[in-house]
Amino acid sequence: MRLSRREFSKLGAMGLAAQVLPSASSEAQDANRKVGYCVIGLGRIANHFIGGVQGSSTSQITGLVSGHRDKAEKFAARLGVPKSSIYSYEDMDRMRDNKSIDAVYVALPNSMHAEYTIRSAKAGKHVLCEKPMSTSVSDAEAMIAACKAANVKLMIAYRLHYEPTNLRAIELIRQGALGKVQVIESANGFYENLGEWRLNKAMSGGGPMLDVGIYSLNATRYLTGEEPESFTASVSTIDHDGRFDTVEENTTWTTKFPSGALASCCTTYGANMRSYYRVYGSKGWLEVGSFGYEGLRLQANYSSGGRGTPATVLDEPNTEPDPKQFTRQADHFTECILQNKTPKTPGEEGLRDMQYMQQIYKAAGVVAL
């Protein structure tokens, strides 16, 4: 499922390669200075990350990797990045000698995550890689091994692990506010008709499961604090209009956890679906609406006493604007680099989701990952 640089360039000529690659440098030595990030891929998600770094007091953008020099130079002029710190895909390994770059942010199509994570690690740079981690379990394992061999840190960009509303939901569950978790519902999907790389299995690795379904999968894990025991699953394609020639349109799955808790999740590229999760416990429920970059809201209703005890009702909106989630994410990785800590969402976290998605596809009768 991995594309060659030549194949990616061809797609780039069709407007599908609006992303870039960076590399990494030697470890940050002075805890008082800002950690420099090189952004690999200048597409939409990279814009959010760049905005997040601009809002950080501990991080800065110091390099860019792109197949479009003119586009990269416009970014560089806006960000104060010297032209000497702009790289192409072919020569990005030269970042090894750029001491202003401590880490890279890999924002490329899924199939390219492994190659550019490994190249960045070999260049001595720490790696923050977008999710899904890769398009196969074996690639995820190779990424972890390469970063360990190079003695650099690897973090997967699960931004919601650092977001206050999700942390509040986890806190309430761990405190026992809902009693014993019984069932979780979750959904995430949207109508995809742009014909971009997401609908090309060679680049995406699969359909909405890898793109947005992974949010529901990962959320059920951090909400329960458990690892899945088993899965049942189904996939379908309803619209035979050419969009889904290589990837599925819909996926639904059920997870059973060791405690007996069940999670029912669905994802789609065929409809604009409300993204949310709702946790039902023996004492009440809570819901977080949206996996988005802003506008998250926690609502809950639970009672710690018996029947007739007044319920606690919560309605807690998060008013933090985009790209604050990306600032929190960058700040965490920067702290890990400066203080030599293991990230909260290391490569192993991404690998686990890759393994579980492989099991979900297998349960649905699909050979993938």
Side-chain angles (χ1 to χ4, degrees), residues 23-38 49 58-60 99-105 124-128 151-155 329-344:
S23 214
S25 91
S26 57
E27 187 159 347
Q29 312 243 332
D30 184 356
N32 295 316
R33 77 170 177 84
K34 290 186 176 182
V35 165
Y37 286 87
C38 180
F49 178 76
T58 60
S59 311
Q60 62 184 337
K99 303 304 181 185
S100 72
I101 298 173
D102 304 293
V104 302
Y105 172 63
K125 309 301 179 181
H126 302 289
V127 180
L128 173 57
N151 195 30
V152 298
K153 299 186 185 302
L154 173 60
M155 176 172 144
Q329 181 175 260
D331 283 347
H332 176 76
F333 195 43
T334 289
E335 179 183 340
C336 291
I337 292 170
L338 293 175
Q339 299 183 21
N340 193 27
K341 296 180 178 179
T342 299
K344 183 179 177 182

Side-chain angles (χ1 to χ4, degrees), residues 94-364:
R94 292 192 298 107
M95 284 191 285
R96 177 191 311 274
D97 302 318
N98 190 332
K99 303 304 181 185
S100 72
I101 298 173
D102 304 293
V104 302
Y105 172 63
V106 180
L108 294 163
N110 302 342
S111 63
M112 305 180 77
H113 289 181
E115 177 183 350
Y116 290 98
T117 290
I118 292 170
R119 285 176 66 181
S120 297
K122 289 181 177 179
K125 309 301 179 181
H126 302 289
V127 180
L128 173 57
C129 180
E130 264 304 330
K131 55 101 215 81
M133 184 175 180
S134 60
T135 55
S136 71
V137 171
S138 59
D139 275 355
E141 292 171 337
M143 293 162 71
I144 292 171
C147 289
K148 286 184 176 178
N151 195 30
V152 298
K153 299 186 185 302
L154 173 60
M155 176 172 144
I156 308 304
Y158 287 104
R159 57 186 165 77
L160 296 181
H161 282 247
Y162 311 97
E163 188 278 323
T165 302
N166 282 272
L167 293 175
R168 172 69 166 144
I170 294 169
E171 177 186 42
L172 287 169
I173 293 170
R174 298 293 187 275
Q175 289 176 345
L178 303 187
K180 293 181 179 179
V181 173
Q182 303 291 325
V183 173
I184 300 174
E185 299 173 353
S186 184
N188 197 12
F190 63 96
Y191 185 83
E192 172 62 271
N193 66 347
L194 298 179
E196 57 183 24
W197 62 265
R198 286 177 176 79
L199 299 179
N200 182 329
K201 188 174 183 178
M203 300 184 77
S204 65
M209 179 77 243
L210 278 85
D211 185 19
V212 288
I214 190 173
Y215 284 101
S216 295
L217 171 63
N218 194 258
T220 61
R221 294 176 50 227
Y222 62 69
L223 291 168
T224 60
E226 299 182 64
E227 296 300 335
E229 184 177 88
S230 62
F231 297 96
T232 60
S234 294
V235 300
S236 74
T237 295
I238 296 173
D239 297 306
H240 299 281
D241 53 12
R243 286 179 295 155
F244 305 108
D245 290 345
T246 64
V247 301
E248 70 282 358
E249 185 174 18
N250 306 298
T251 302
T252 181
W253 72 98
T254 300
T255 309
K256 182 179 181 181
F257 291 94
S259 65
L262 299 176
S264 177
C265 306
C266 57
T267 185
T268 185
Y269 275 162
N272 289 320
M273 176 181 284
R274 183 172 78 95
S275 67
Y276 78 103
Y277 60 73
R278 179 175 275 231
V279 183
Y280 295 91
S282 57
K283 296 180 180 179
W285 58 268
L286 70 75
E287 177 176 312
V288 171
S290 176
F291 292 109
Y293 302 146
E294 60 184 357
L296 279 70
R297 187 184 207 99
L298 183 146
Q299 295 176 293
N301 187 307
Y302 56 89
S303 176
S304 59
R307 183 173 298 178
T309 303
T312 297
V313 179
L314 302 178
D315 187 355
E316 301 177 354
N318 182 343
T319 59
E320 289 185 338
D322 177 38
K324 182 62 176 179
Q325 292 179 15
F326 292 84
T327 301
R328 290 179 179 278
Q329 181 175 260
D331 283 347
H332 176 76
F333 195 43
T334 289
E335 179 183 340
C336 291
I337 292 170
L338 293 175
Q339 299 183 21
N340 193 27
K341 296 180 178 179
T342 299
K344 183 179 177 182
T345 54
E348 289 77 8
E349 176 73 3
L351 172 61
R352 280 189 283 270
D353 274 344
M354 294 306 302
Q355 292 168 331
Y356 295 139
M357 287 190 291
Q358 182 182 61
Q359 292 176 42
I360 289 169
Y361 275 123
K362 184 177 180 180

